[in-house]
Amino acid sequence: MDAIIPAAGRGTRLGDLTADQPKGLVEVAGKPLLAYVLDVAVEADIEELIVIIGYEGSQIVERFGDAYRDVPITYLHQREQLGLGHAVLQAQHAVDGTFLLVNGDNVFVDGVTTAVEAVRAEGVDGVLGVEEVPREVARATGVIETEGGAITGIVEKPDHPPSQLVTTGCYVLPEEVFHACALIRPSADGEYQMSEAVGLLCRAG
């Protein structure tokens, strides 16, 4: 299984920390954010790391080179940062089959191996890593809709969250999601939301 790791954003909310470097190279506890993500992907037995770069992307290439812990890295350029769904589309021709998608600026303390292993169970098409949060927090992010333990959709920043389960930036998705990403329309802020693409897959069964 391959991993797609979007790391094209500048991280404007980080202020001066990203004035001359991409968000993925901001250090936390002496280690770049992106290195934490690469570590959990490698630990999940990923065969190839596909890193989506954009803002100051050459710095990421210089920092990590063509392999990380002996796992090869392919870099793809997202010229415009138009959301996670748009970033994923950049890797459409580089991935074959189910893949791991992990945001390049998230730190997963317990790793993502459980999600990768869960997709191998019979009848499972995809897996989303979720977190339970207070409803006031849920209003500011993607909220999971479920029925009988299965995901039926994701709602972005709802006024009335249907649950307290929110997305964490960890997905294991079938390659059909590329078609879904190509079909969705941009949101009001001009971004192609991954939640819309996952919602299309759910509605398609």
Side-chain angles (χ1 to χ4, degrees), residues 1 97-101 115-129 149-152 170-178 194 197-198 200-205:
M1 185 184 298
T98 299
F99 63 92
L100 170 68
L101 170 64
V116 171
E117 291 176 346
V119 82
R120 299 190 175 106
E122 185 177 353
V124 177
D125 297 309
V127 176
L128 271 64
I151 296 169
T152 57
C170 172
Y171 309 75
V172 185
L173 298 169
E175 60 184 337
E176 287 82 1
V177 78
F178 293 118
M194 201 66 210
V198 172
L200 278 179
L201 289 184
C202 292
R203 291 191 292 276

Side-chain angles (χ1 to χ4, degrees), residues 103-117:
N103 287 350
D105 57 357
N106 288 22
V107 176
F108 295 89
V109 175
D110 296 321
V112 298
T113 302
T114 301
V116 171
E117 291 176 346

Side-chain angles (χ1 to χ4, degrees), residues 1-6 37-52 65-76 90-102 112 116 120 171 178:
M1 185 184 298
D2 297 333
I4 299 175
I5 303 172
V37 179
L38 296 175
D39 278 332
V40 296
V42 170
E43 288 157 11
D45 290 328
I46 291 302
E47 296 172 0
E48 182 176 3
L49 301 160
I50 300 168
V51 180
I52 312 297
D66 58 7
Y68 185 82
R69 291 172 56 181
D70 297 325
V71 178
I73 301 177
T74 295
Y75 297 98
L76 300 174
Q90 311 310 303
Q92 181 173 7
H93 301 296
V95 172
D96 182 21
T98 299
F99 63 92
L100 170 68
L101 170 64
V102 193
V112 298
V116 171
R120 299 190 175 106
Y171 309 75
F178 293 118

Side-chain angles (χ1 to χ4, degrees), residues 13-33:
R13 287 175 292 184
L14 295 180
D16 291 343
L17 289 174
T18 56
D20 59 357
Q21 67 177 348
K23 179 167 53 173
L25 293 186
V26 172
E27 292 202 356
V28 175
K31 182 174 175 179
L33 272 172

Side-chain angles (χ1 to χ4, degrees), residues 118-166:
V119 82
R120 299 190 175 106
E122 185 177 353
V124 177
D125 297 309
V127 176
L128 271 64
V130 301
E131 179 182 9
E132 188 170 9
V133 299
R135 288 196 180 274
E136 56 269 24
V137 176
R139 293 189 185 99
T141 187
V143 181
I144 303 294
E145 295 177 310
T146 64
E147 183 177 331
I151 296 169
T152 57
I154 306 175
V155 184
E156 283 292 336
K157 302 178 181 178
D159 292 330
H160 304 287
S163 77
Q164 292 174 253
L165 297 177
V166 302

